[in-house]
């Protein structure tokens, strides 16, 4: 990756939502969210990147958890990451939209935020859950992500700051529009 340049959304400073483009493993937030699979034993995409950056101890801890159902979330330490914690959540595989995919994606965001709240974490960064190999339409996924996070932040004291991390240009453009970033 090139330069990693997170920037604050100038139009909504009070909402504490930040947009960034690049590799989520480089962020020094309290927790980064992993778009994991139900085994929690690692995979490709962002999951692979997080396990590589965190080191083998992350997999050892994940093995003790015993998996995670779709829409739920589990927390581990961050090991070699800058982030203190990894919140592993499992987004839905897109199957055409009639298998509760929208609700399950919303659950993945909300349950991750709940863990951040329980641990009184100030800052948490999300990747674009389910929009890689799981095939969720990116526009719809971005809308669900932004709506879920905004309503949660409005009604809860923690986390105080949420970073949306986009890895690909298409998601970045969608989030820029949704968050009205210049
Ligand atoms: P899923 O199985 O939930 O679709 P993927 O890892 O395949 O998970 O993709 C989810 C999103 O994560 C995609 O938008 C992809 O571009 C993005 N992604 C892949 N690697 C990284 C990374 N290192 N940092 C942040 N986002 C990433």
């Amino acid at each position: 990756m090139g330069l990693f340049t997170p920037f604050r959304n100038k139009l909504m400073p009070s909402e504490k939502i930040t947009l960034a483009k690049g590799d989520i493993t480089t962020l020094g937030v309290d927790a980064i969210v992993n778009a994991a699979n139900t085994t929690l034993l690692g995979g490709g995409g962002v999951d692979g990147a997080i396990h590589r950056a965190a080191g083998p101890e992350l997999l050892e801890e994940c093995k003790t958890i015993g998996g995670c159902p779709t829409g739920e979330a589990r927390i581990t330490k961050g090991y070699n990451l800058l982030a203190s914690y990894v919140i592993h959540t499992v987004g839905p595989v897109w199957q055409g939209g009639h298998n509760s995919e929208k609700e399950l994606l919303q659950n993945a965001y909300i349950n991750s935020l709940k863990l951040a709240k329980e641990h009184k974490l100030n800052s948490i960064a999300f990747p674009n859950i389910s929009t890689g190999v799981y095939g969720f339409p990116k526009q719809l996924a971005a809308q669900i992500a932004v709506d879920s996070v905004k309503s949660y932040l409005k009604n809860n004291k923690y986390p105080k700051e949420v970073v949306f991390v986009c890895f690909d240009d298409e998601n970045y453009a969608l989030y820029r529009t949704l968050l009205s970033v210049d």
Side-chain angles (χ1 to χ4, degrees), residues 22-24 35 44-47 49 127-134 165 167-168 171:
D23 180 358
I24 198 168
V46 71
D47 195 359
N128 307 135
I129 299 166
S130 284
T131 68
V133 293
Y134 280 8
V165 184
F167 196 65
D168 58 272
N171 268 313

Side-chain angles (χ1 to χ4, degrees), residues 9 12 15 35 38 45 47 49-50 88-89 97 105 130 151 156 173 179:
N9 176 355
M12 299 193 308
E15 301 215 32
T38 54
D47 195 359
I50 289 172
H88 307 260
T89 190
L105 186 62
S130 284
S151 73
N156 294 277
L179 296 170

Side-chain angles (χ1 to χ4, degrees), residues 68-136:
C68 177
T70 305
E72 294 190 18
R74 302 287 184 268
I75 192 165
T76 65
K77 288 188 275 184
Y79 298 99
N80 295 338
L81 292 166
L82 279 177
S84 306
Y85 297 94
V86 179
I87 293 175
H88 307 260
T89 190
V90 183
V93 177
W94 182 258
Q95 294 172 311
H98 298 290
N99 280 300
S100 306
E101 292 96 326
K102 293 188 274 293
E103 293 79 6
L104 289 167
L105 186 62
Q106 184 177 325
N107 291 348
Y109 280 94
I110 296 296
N111 285 322
S112 299
L113 291 162
K114 280 184 180 166
L115 277 178
K117 179 185 176 181
E118 277 167 33
H119 288 77
K120 289 197 163 53
L121 304 184
N122 285 315
S123 56
I124 172 175
F126 282 100
N128 307 135
I129 299 166
S130 284
T131 68
V133 293
Y134 280 8
F136 206 107

